[in-house]
Amino acid sequence: MFCYQCQETAGNKGCTLKGVCGKDFTTANLMDLLIFNLKGIAIITTAARKAGVALDYRTADKTIMESLFATITNANFDYSSIAKRVTHTFNLKRQLREEALSLGVALPDNEAVTMQGTPEEYDQLALGVGVLREQNEDARSLKELTIYGLKGLAAYAEHADRLGYNDDEINAFTERALCDVTMGLLSVEELTALVLETGAFGVKVMALLDKANTETYGHPEITEVNIGVGTRPGILISGHDLKDMEMLLEQTEGTGVDVYTHGEMLPANYYPKFKKYKHFVGNYGNAWWQQREEFETFNGPILFTTNCIVPPKANASYKDRVFTTNSTGYPGFKYIEGDEQGNKDFSEVIALAKTCQPPTEIEHGTIVGGFAHHQVLSIADKVVEAVKSGAIRKFVVMSGCDGRQSGRSYFTDFAKALPQDTVILTSGCAKYRYNKLPLGNIGGIPRVLDAGQCNDSYSLAVIALKLKEVMGLDDINKLPIVYNIAWYEQKAVIVLLGLLSLGVKNIHLGPTLPAFLSPNVAKVLVDNFGIAGIGTVEEDIQNLIA
Ligand code: FSO
Ligand code: SF4
């Protein structure tokens, strides 16, 4: 195996024996084979689209998005679940290839298109199709940067699709990009352009998901979220999928079982449609990496709708209480399948909850969130006034991911050290590093404004573009906004590429720069976009604020 897609990769170089995330050698290799098959499918659909012939694009699109998502860090650790996807992609590829050829589509002679195999051969076949297959370090870096961006894009596309929102332009681009990185025809300049185009489609997919979420569940509102517990048994729902959230709330109503969010599901508390459920108690715990402790004390069942899963300890008491769905999986956790329409039956989860103790309180009080674009723009006058009067000197975007590395305490220290006339704009699970600090407010505007999930970084872009317009500026970089972003996995990669595609410069990225950036590619990002790593808190406050 060779995997260097996330921030925790071994030695900041690459995982080769086992993932730091817990992914084992054979499952990691099998994911390489899955990606290789997706590339093959993408080459076929891209050629067929170009030739204007009708194939079953819907199945191809869905397969590509869901399988890309399944390979995101901490989404799926289950060899058998990935093997099933490999089998499906071999079959689909064969079928699409035959159909395309019979319709007269000229297909390139590429191994990704032609390779077939049986389950007994998968492990062997996987050895030849991994990341190191591309031998040029810079091309590999740009290709993988594109693929990791596409993985993040695919996750957001899957959530939107589950709410009935799908954009063929995004599907076609994803396939063309997979095709381009496989055919080996692009120069470093062309690959760099592809990376930025991926970012532009990242913005599109985040806009699509924003539309899907807000049209279905209303615009997020400023909300005080309870972080304490009730007296009844509960179900803890984690991940990003609001459709699952809706189904769970509906099915638990009147059952005597409460619902709590964990990690990235916290922003579900901000949506009007979910607030009407009296048994939706609040948020329990913190970011994903604290789950080993927090799932113990929660006492009830846990439902993962997306990453991030941490492999439980051998003696974890909650092991038999965890359920996964969508693209996620873990050996031994129960998987909940949806029907054709995506409807799911959570009765087993609810029945189990009824036999469990109520959650043990680990915190109490409230935290405030819900500062997505609609809400913030409704108080735009107040915000602009505060900027003009100097009451707010700078906004600091601190979006992204949290993680378990000790160096991430930097982000808490940085938040604490920011001057009183600065406001943090956040989204994603990075917020847990400072959203419970008593940072106060500026004229009633809290000093931490949480827009929502990592995909709601889109909201921050909308807010920035609106401020630019209201303040009559000609460049997004002239706004009093600076960026100090934390990354962990591939959804943060698409958010970052999205910001670059919008022309945002001088982004600080930590806690470490991605291992998949070769020295030359890193130099391109530094020279053209002013991307920088983080330094000490004092240096960075000096650089970004003073
Ligand atoms: Fe966090 Fe995990 Fe949303 Fe990521 S929960 S780390 S960027 O999956 O997706 O922010
Ligand atoms: Fe290593 Fe991250 Fe890949 Fe897991 S996802 S194998 S930790 S690089």
Side-chain angles (χ1 to χ4, degrees):
M1 78 178 274
F2 181 83
C3 182
Y4 63 172
Q5 66 175 355
C6 82
Q7 189 274 325
E8 291 189 355
T9 192
N12 207 28
K13 288 204 161 56
C15 297
T16 53
L17 301 171
K18 183 183 182 358
V20 172
C21 57
K23 192 163 65 173
D24 68 43
F25 188 90
T26 47
T27 308
N29 285 344
L30 204 56
M31 286 185 180
D32 290 341
L33 184 59
L34 180 58
I35 298 277
F36 195 63
N37 274 349
L38 301 182
K39 290 172 172 173
I41 292 170
I43 293 173
I44 300 168
T45 56
T46 302
R49 280 193 160 103
K50 213 166 164 190
V53 307
L55 289 185
D56 183 1
Y57 293 114
R58 173 71 182 152
T59 303
D61 299 342
K62 248 178 108 63
T63 300
I64 288 173
M65 294 303 188
E66 290 175 6
S67 291
L68 280 173
F69 193 176
T71 68
I72 282 186
T73 302
N74 289 343
N76 202 314
F77 295 82
D78 186 2
Y79 183 94
S80 66
S81 152
I82 303 298
K84 252 195 235 166
R85 288 183 188 273
V86 171
T87 303
H88 169 69
T89 50
F90 269 130
N91 292 337
L92 180 65
K93 188 167 70 170
R94 185 184 315 111
Q95 185 194 325
L96 290 171
R97 179 166 176 260
E98 282 165 10
E99 271 173 32
L101 289 173
S102 74
L103 291 166
V105 180
L107 292 178
D109 183 22
N110 190 293
E111 204 189 353
V113 175
T114 52
M115 182 192 276
Q116 285 291 326
T118 61
E120 300 71 47
E121 297 167 328
Y122 289 173
D123 292 344
Q124 190 57 35
L125 287 174
L127 295 178
V129 298
V131 171
L132 301 177
R133 185 178 167 101
E134 171 57 68
Q135 291 176 4
N136 178 302
E137 191 192 18
D138 297 328
R140 184 196 306 145
S141 175
L142 290 164
K143 287 178 177 186
E144 292 304 318
L145 179 53
T146 303
I147 291 175
Y148 303 153
L150 292 177
K151 290 185 182 194
L153 175 152
Y156 297 152
E158 183 181 313
H159 296 307
D161 188 60
R162 300 199 59 237
L163 295 173
Y165 291 73
N166 191 292
D167 179 344
D168 203 47
E169 217 197 326
I170 295 173
N171 300 328
F173 168 75
T174 303
E175 290 157 29
R176 183 191 16 109
L178 280 174
C179 171
D180 283 354
V181 296
T182 314
M183 302 284 285
L185 302 175
L186 301 184
S187 64
V188 164
E189 289 69 34
E190 287 167 320
L191 283 170
T192 308
L194 182 64
V195 165
L196 285 183
E197 198 180 1
T198 306
F201 275 92
V203 176
K204 279 190 190 189
V205 80
M206 283 187 262
L208 181 71
L209 181 53
D210 180 82
K211 187 168 151 68
N213 286 341
T214 55
E215 287 185 355
T216 314
Y217 304 116
H219 283 286
E221 301 164 342
I222 299 175
T223 307
E224 292 221 359
V225 180
N226 174 28
I227 56 172
V229 299
T231 54
R232 312 192 305 175
I235 296 171
L236 192 58
I237 174 168
S238 172
H240 307 66
D241 198 283
L242 297 188
K243 179 75 186 171
D244 288 330
M245 182 73 201
E246 179 185 14
M247 288 188 286
L248 184 67
L249 284 170
E250 262 172 19
Q251 293 176 33
T252 42
E253 193 168 32
T255 61
V257 170
D258 290 333
V259 172
Y260 296 78
T261 53
H262 188 262
E264 269 285 72
M265 197 55 95
L266 159 64
N269 288 277
Y270 312 151
Y271 285 88
K273 193 142 175 204
F274 298 143
K275 287 185 179 181
K276 67 173 200 222
Y277 292 99
K278 299 267 175 302
H279 66 295
F280 180 14
V281 176
N283 189 69
Y284 189 83
N286 294 280
W288 62 275
W289 61 276
Q290 280 161 292
Q291 63 188 253
R292 279 180 167 175
E293 292 75 37
E294 293 169 355
F295 289 0
E296 289 288 349
T297 53
F298 184 73
N299 302 330
I302 298 116
L303 174 64
F304 273 103
T305 68
T306 59
N307 58 329
C308 295
I309 299 172
V310 178
K313 287 188 183 152
N315 61 352
S317 72
Y318 63 82
K319 265 191 300 191
D320 300 331
R321 292 191 260 121
V322 189
F323 296 80
T324 64
T325 187
N326 304 320
S327 296
T328 62
Y330 190 86
F333 291 174
K334 288 219 170 104
Y335 183 80
I336 296 182
E337 192 91 55
D339 67 12
E340 282 284 297
Q341 283 72 45
N343 297 314
K344 290 174 190 167
D345 178 2
F346 293 120
S347 52
E348 195 183 343
V349 191
I350 298 166
L352 177 62
K354 288 181 180 166
T355 68
C356 295
Q357 291 297 313
T360 306
E361 186 167 272
I362 51 173
E363 294 171 299
H364 63 270
T366 57
I367 47 176
V368 184
F371 297 91
H373 58 85
H374 185 263
Q375 181 71 79
V376 173
L377 295 182
S378 73
I379 53 165
D381 293 353
K382 203 170 159 185
V383 174
V384 171
E385 194 37 54
V387 173
K388 286 194 174 148
S389 73
I392 296 180
R393 176 159 42 135
K394 269 201 179 136
F395 293 97
V396 187
V397 175
M398 292 180 74
S399 291
C401 322
D402 198 4
R404 59 206 137 185
Q405 281 183 347
S406 58
R408 287 187 186 258
S409 57
Y410 161 91
F411 292 102
T412 308
D413 298 337
F414 184 83
K416 281 186 189 161
L418 280 169
Q420 287 300 320
D421 54 1
T422 55
V423 171
I424 296 174
L425 302 177
T426 191
S427 59
C429 59
K431 63 168 118 332
Y432 285 103
R433 288 282 170 179
Y434 36 78
N435 69 346
K436 293 169 186 171
L437 298 176
L439 294 179
N441 65 75
I442 298 174
I445 301 170
R447 288 195 53 233
V448 178
L449 301 181
D450 176 22
Q453 298 178 329
C454 43
N455 42 289
D456 295 312
S457 306
Y458 171 73
S459 254
L460 301 180
V462 171
I463 293 166
L465 292 171
K466 188 70 195 175
L467 279 182
K468 177 183 147 215
E469 183 193 314
V470 176
M471 295 172 76
L473 300 172
D474 59 357
D475 181 352
I476 199 167
N477 294 298
K478 290 186 181 157
L479 283 165
I481 303 182
V482 293
Y483 296 80
N484 195 0
I485 287 178
W487 84 285
Y488 172 55
E489 43 87 340
Q490 299 77 50
K491 285 183 234 176
V493 173
I494 194 63
V495 170
L496 176 71
L497 296 184
L499 288 174
L500 297 184
S501 79
L502 290 171
V504 174
K505 298 226 156 77
N506 302 323
I507 296 173
H508 283 228
L509 184 65
T512 50
L513 288 180
F516 53 79
L517 297 180
S518 68
N520 287 332
V521 171
K523 189 170 181 316
V524 169
L525 293 180
V526 171
D527 292 350
N528 296 329
F529 297 99
I531 292 231
I534 58 170
T536 65
V537 168
E538 296 71 34
E539 282 163 8
D540 292 348
I541 294 275
Q542 188 62 29
N543 281 337
L544 285 166
I545 310 296

